[in-house]
Amino acid sequence: MDKFLIEGGHSLKGEVKVKGAKNSALPILATTLLCEDEFTIENVPLLRDIFTIKKVLEVLGASVTLDGNKAIVDTRGAVGYEAPYELVKQMRASYYVLGPLLARVGRALVSLPGGCAIGTRPIDIHLRGLKKLKADISITHGYIDAYGNNLKGSHIFLEGQNGPSVGATINVMAAATLAKGVTVIEGAAMEPEVTDVANFLNKCGAKIKGQGTRSIEIRGVKKLHGCEYEIIPDRIEAGTLAVGAAISRGEIFLKGAKTEHLEEFISKLKEVGVDVFSEKDGFAVKMDKDIGSTDIETAPFPGFPTDMQAQFTALLCLSNGVSIVREKIFEERFMHVLELVRMGADIKRENDYVIIKGVPCLYGAKVMASDLRASAALVLAGLSASGTTEVGRIYHIDRGYENIEERLRNLGAHIWRQEE
Ligand code: EPZ
């Protein structure tokens, strides 16, 4: 396993192109299974998770060619219907093939995804929604065993006790594109990635309206077809790099980033003293003063994104006051806290929130990555820490950030990868 070595104290400066959104690319690649045709998908980030979904599609008989950040997908040979445990355990988002397989093949055998470091991550809302479309679903030997030869449109309320589900909204929306009649999903997730998948499906001939609101209407069609599509920029990568500039007191331009995908996050950045300048094709972030404190509560879009909580927590460790960060989406998304404490942070966890007392500086230490965004938070802390930080198990980071160490080095960070 690889590790990162980071020598702190170097400000990030310059311009960086934001890559395509991981959480759009994964479902969009999976929904190509809704028809047998060819697709050209631009702005696909080259991440571990993309290589995993590529393997899942290939196991199902599709072909996926990656040419830089362009994916050419050919599903004309896709006849399989089983997503095996070996692949699903590597990446839970493999369950995105469930809805498309049910709708096109009428059959799906998908391994139940395990839990993960940030929480139990059940998929009851996915299954409830698909059953409302008249799919016949049972769980046998750790697999979701699903039949759905003639899915029927339905009026579905899809929220869970933790609010709307991004994954379930996308899985049900995808299946509904080929169901007979009209489906309305109430309590739909509004994340930009859900909108991106809906826009992709409409380019494939689907009839979806209301994406980006709590209520999405899908009129079933007989068949879909291939298309050319460009994935939206990754708002979480943009946010992560923005925190990198703030925590290292630097100034960077995030080329391609869309401020409308990060409004609540940007208003919190401004609240702690960061200057943010919106431009035509991106936004600039500049920090040249003390980091202020603030309180954060994660929420479904358009609220503060849970995927930015760990990174913002790292920034607040260096504030000139006391901050409260409450994680309302995932029950265990505080794996970064004890590692930040080992770097000198003053953080106390109380159930679903942490109290962060700002300290003048963090100190380099050997720390361990545990999940994607917690690992990113440790890298950000290392950028500002005095001395050298060693972040182990960085395969977690490679799941969600393309070539991050080279892109950070191009911005002035002293970071390099080493075999562990
Ligand atoms: C997506 O996960 C993202 N992953 C996550 O990003 C992101 O944190 C999450 O949405 C919330 O925005 C991908 O898009 C691949 P949810 P997803 O269903 O769809 C509960 C990252 O770092 N729930 O919106 O799995 C769930 O436990 C990853 O890039 C159920 O109870 O999230 C959570 O509490 C991490 N039953 C809440 O809903 C279900 O069937 C929201 O989860 C599904 C979810």
Side-chain angles (χ1 to χ4, degrees):
M1 286 190 269
D2 291 352
K3 62 186 174 187
F4 278 157
L5 293 175
I6 306 159
E7 184 193 284
H10 306 276
S11 299
L12 297 191
K13 292 210 185 314
E15 174 175 308
V16 59
K17 174 89 173 64
V18 176
K19 295 288 183 179
K22 165 178 86 80
N23 293 346
S24 277
L26 294 173
I28 283 176
L29 287 168
T31 53
T32 59
L33 290 168
L34 279 164
C35 68
E36 298 183 50
D37 207 342
E38 262 201 312
F39 303 78
T40 302
I41 303 164
E42 303 279 359
N43 211 21
V44 173
L46 295 180
L47 308 168
R48 276 168 65 100
D49 279 1
I50 295 294
F51 297 116
T52 305
I53 199 80
K54 173 175 184 299
K55 271 190 244 153
V56 173
L57 289 175
E58 286 164 348
V59 158
L60 293 166
S63 82
V64 182
T65 310
L66 289 171
D67 170 14
N69 291 111
K70 176 164 72 174
I72 314 274
V73 184
D74 186 338
T75 54
R76 284 170 293 192
V79 288
Y81 58 78
E82 181 179 347
Y85 170 71
E86 294 65 34
L87 289 175
V88 178
K89 75 175 178 186
Q90 288 178 41
M91 182 190 62
R92 54 180 281 101
S94 310
Y95 58 44
Y96 274 134
V97 301
L98 183 57
L101 287 172
L102 263 183
R104 184 174 63 84
V105 181
R107 182 92 172 82
L109 199 56
V110 178
S111 166
L112 273 171
C116 76
I118 63 177
T120 50
R121 315 277 308 263
I123 59 164
D124 56 309
I125 305 174
H126 297 243
L127 304 185
R128 174 158 55 84
L130 292 171
K131 283 178 183 166
K132 288 284 280 181
L133 296 177
K134 301 287 178 273
D136 173 19
I137 297 181
S138 58
I139 307 287
T140 45
H141 307 296
Y143 273 73
I144 303 158
D145 193 355
Y147 292 81
N149 279 310
N150 46 8
L151 297 180
K152 282 197 181 41
S154 171
H155 201 117
I156 304 170
F157 183 70
L158 211 54
E159 275 202 22
Q161 80 276 10
N162 286 12
S165 162
V166 170
T169 301
I170 290 173
N171 235 334
V172 173
M173 177 173 72
T177 57
L178 296 178
K180 285 189 187 58
V182 179
T183 296
V184 175
I185 300 175
E186 305 289 0
M190 297 166 56
E191 272 68 6
E193 295 75 24
V194 175
T195 300
D196 206 23
V197 176
N199 294 343
F200 168 74
L201 291 172
N202 280 344
K203 275 204 86 173
C204 297
K207 294 192 180 331
I208 302 171
K209 285 194 309 191
Q211 57 269 38
T213 75
R214 282 271 176 268
S215 174
I216 301 178
E217 180 194 274
I218 306 109
R219 293 185 171 282
V221 295
K222 284 238 170 317
K223 253 170 90 69
L224 296 175
H225 53 74
C227 72
E228 296 189 3
Y229 194 76
E230 179 169 339
I231 305 260
I232 58 170
D234 192 317
R235 62 194 170 101
I236 305 303
E237 179 185 81
T240 305
L241 292 166
V243 171
I247 206 168
S248 65
R249 281 182 177 56
E251 180 174 0
I252 65 174
F253 179 67
L254 294 154
K255 190 166 172 51
K258 294 181 180 301
T259 49
E260 64 270 26
H261 290 170
L262 284 166
E263 279 172 7
E264 179 57 19
F265 163 75
I266 287 171
S267 77
K268 283 294 177 183
L269 270 188
K270 290 178 176 171
E271 216 176 290
V272 299
V274 181
D275 295 318
V276 181
F277 311 98
S278 192
E279 323 248 340
K280 198 168 52 60
D281 61 341
F283 64 86
V285 171
K286 181 180 176 194
M287 184 57 159
D288 55 7
K289 47 177 118 36
D290 273 0
I291 299 165
S293 58
T294 184
D295 295 338
I296 302 266
E297 180 160 308
T298 62
F301 192 85
F304 189 95
T306 173
D307 292 350
M308 283 305 308
Q309 181 261 108
Q311 299 93 311
F312 215 97
T313 296
L315 180 64
L316 292 173
C317 290
L318 292 163
S319 85
N320 55 14
V322 179
S323 309
I324 305 258
V325 174
R326 194 180 291 274
E327 172 54 62
K328 301 286 284 178
I329 308 290
F330 293 112
E331 63 271 27
E332 278 315 313
R333 204 165 206 173
F334 288 122
M335 305 295 283
H336 45 289
V337 166
L338 291 180
E339 297 303 297
L340 290 168
V341 167
R342 295 185 59 247
M343 295 177 74
D346 180 347
I347 313 177
K348 298 232 172 350
R349 177 176 177 181
E350 303 283 345
N351 298 322
D352 67 348
Y353 68 92
V354 288
I355 303 161
I356 308 164
K357 272 204 195 93
V359 293
C361 82
L362 295 174
Y363 297 91
K366 283 191 182 181
V367 290
M368 190 69 75
S370 55
D371 65 272
L372 169 52
R373 307 302 175 183
S375 329
L378 298 178
V379 171
L380 298 177
L383 294 180
S384 83
S386 138
T388 302
T389 300
E390 188 178 300
V391 184
R393 295 192 186 164
I394 51 166
Y395 60 88
H396 289 292
I397 297 182
D398 292 333
R399 295 192 52 185
Y401 298 94
E402 181 179 333
N403 211 356
I404 191 66
E405 75 272 19
E406 188 185 320
R407 295 162 68 210
L408 284 172
R409 258 202 308 275
N410 292 342
L411 290 170
H414 288 206
I415 176 173
W416 55 102
R417 181 186 290 256
Q418 224 179 49
E419 291 275 309
E420 199 150 23

